[in-house]
Amino acid sequence: MIQMDIKFLAGKVHATPWDHHVNEGVVEWPLSPWRILRALIATWHIKAQEIPREAVQELIEAMCGVDPQFAMPKQIGSGHTRHYMPTRTSTTKVFDTFLIVSAEDRLGVRWPVDLSPELHDVLETLVARIGYLGRAEAWASVELSKREWDESEAICSTKRTEEGELVRLLNAYPPSQYEAWREGMMQGWSHHALVAAAEKKGKPLDEVKLSAKEKAKIEERLPESLFDALQLDTADIQKDGWSLPPGARWVEYYRPHAEPPDLTRISYDTGGQLPQVATFALYSNVLPLFTDAFHVASIMHRALVSRDPSNPLFSGRGADGEPLKGHEHVFIFPEHESGKKHISKISLYLESGFDNDAVKALLTLTKLYSQEGEFQEQKLVLLELSEAKSAQCKAVGSSKVWESYTPFVATRHPKIRRNGTAKYENGLVVGSSEHDLRRLLAEGGYPGPINVTVVDSTTLAKEERWLKFRTHRKSRRGARGPHLPTGYRIEFAEVQAGPIALGYGAHFGLGMFVPVEISGIS
């Protein structure tokens, strides 16, 4: 039996899964067997070259194809930093998301493999010299252990459990299976090369043969052994177009839900101001459409209220169950990436700020799912907790010009006189869409705009008209007028601070405006 204990010396786990980009805010947890095997090999190359290759290969191949168990700390938090990485011509912004664990907590890994005394010594040497696991900033101390796992740890294994969530981790094939897979790949590539040669030469397939050079070129496409495959550079694997590293396979693990860390004492470096914005990244195989922003925000609200039903700033309702007056409760702002049609982030905005109890509730938001099955279950990663002035939320900013990001839906009905004619005020039909927009701006304390123009569409993956957006609740409840959803561009005489969210569903992603930067105006 092989058992390791891994401590993260800085209290942070930085590890991006194979099938995700660093900016998606996803952290691999627990660390995949594939990552640990590669770390052992890297340590041999850099710090233990006195060990013969044959011994290291024998050790690694003994561990390959076996799915280990994990014993994880129960209390896990998350955090992130934002910084710019230099490129050859400019800089690129990076979200570095990490998990937070105690520097004294251990991640236990147990391989059901029996080693000879000689291989055990090799393994002991390698693990003692590992300096990090994950990305280079994930400093780690690793040692072999014989301790018993206890109830303070959460057990993650391939055994199905009722509680917990399904996660995929990379592991290696058994060496014999890799050899069979490689042989099959070679035969397939050779056949394709023969077919191409036959078509080019105009000959039957059985009359064409590959040259020794062509055969050697095919042989070079895949490492001869699994041990060599584990040493391939990630950049080369991606450059060659592999969707999965050669020799790797996905293994389904059942991971217990983590408990949030003890946050009874939290400090914020915000000059005494509580964080006003909490931004979550969404990730799954299929993200929800941005045109369903109202529906997704409503489900986010339901999930938030379930964490603390008695908090009126979450529910928007007082102790008597009646809706609160004003707009002091939380706003939910879905966002999409430029040129994309799916929701990638959701920001929660609370003018008064999130206190410690609210932050605890936010840290338990790890999933978003539709009870009606209208979209795939989404995993949530908390990217930031910050003041509005430093938040990376599109709805928060300052400008003289604001433009619709989601459609505005008026809450009033047009006013008709007894004689059947429309009632006007300042040249607008009272209760019309634009009239209602101006009324709500005044109620929100904004000065009268100097210009309001209609915006016909928005740009997602392509131009989309506002009618594409879902703007009705299934229950059909809420103060909603009969008007079609509309987009507007609002110009003020002076710079106005956001967020600006108006009309029906304003707390649930509708009527969201974003600041526009225009030279000479903003």
Side-chain angles (χ1 to χ4, degrees), residues 171-194:
N171 199 357
Y173 280 117
S176 59
Q177 195 168 342
Y178 172 79
E179 293 170 5
W181 172 80
R182 181 179 183 273
E183 182 62 28
M185 292 294 292
M186 294 297 148
Q187 291 178 1
W189 287 336
S190 297
H191 177 74
H192 285 305
L194 286 169

Side-chain angles (χ1 to χ4, degrees), residues 57 98 148 164 201 212 221 309 342-343 357 377 459 500 508:
Q57 182 169 352
F98 50 83
E148 294 295 326
K201 297 176 180 179
R221 293 185 65 179
H342 296 100
I343 299 172
D357 289 338
E377 179 182 289
T459 302
I500 298 179
F508 303 93

Side-chain angles (χ1 to χ4, degrees), residues 16 21-26 92-97 281 337 383:
T16 304
H21 186 273
V22 63
N23 280 4
E24 292 182 55
V26 184
T92 180
K93 193 171 186 179
V94 172
F95 280 91
D96 180 13
T97 306
E337 295 180 2
L383 292 180

Side-chain angles (χ1 to χ4, degrees), residues 9 48 53 176 189 192 196 205 235-236 272 311 322 356 401 422 481 515:
L9 304 180
R53 172 192 167 97
S176 59
W189 287 336
H192 285 305
L205 188 62
D236 292 335
N311 190 337
E322 293 298 314
N356 286 355
V401 182

Side-chain angles (χ1 to χ4, degrees), residues 351-426:
E351 177 65 29
S352 59
F354 297 99
D355 60 17
N356 286 355
D357 289 338
V359 171
K360 287 182 182 180
L362 295 176
L363 288 172
T364 65
L365 287 173
T366 58
K367 286 184 180 180
L368 199 62
Y369 63 93
S370 169
Q371 292 179 339
E372 298 83 9
E374 293 177 284
F375 59 82
Q376 190 177 80
E377 179 182 289
Q378 307 294 309
K379 296 188 185 299
L380 299 174
V381 176
L382 182 60
L383 292 180
E384 73 170 350
L385 278 168
S386 64
E387 281 188 280
K389 63 183 180 182
S390 60
Q392 299 298 308
C393 171
K394 291 182 179 179
V396 178
S398 298
S399 180
K400 291 182 181 180
V401 182
W402 291 77
E403 192 168 290
S404 288
Y405 191 68
T406 57
F408 168 77
V409 179
T411 61
R412 296 286 180 90
H413 290 253
K415 301 298 182 182
I416 305 297
R417 300 181 187 275
R418 290 183 178 180
N419 62 6
T421 60
K423 183 178 180 180
Y424 282 83
E425 182 180 83
N426 297 326

Side-chain angles (χ1 to χ4, degrees), residues 77-110:
S78 63
H80 84 285
T81 59
R82 298 190 301 268
H83 52 271
Y84 289 86
M85 297 287 287
T87 65
R88 291 181 179 178
T89 57
S90 61
T91 57
T92 180
K93 193 171 186 179
V94 172
F95 280 91
D96 180 13
T97 306
F98 50 83
L99 298 182
I100 302 171
V101 297
S102 168
E104 298 304 315
D105 283 339
R106 296 170 291 194
L107 171 64
V109 191
R110 183 179 287 167

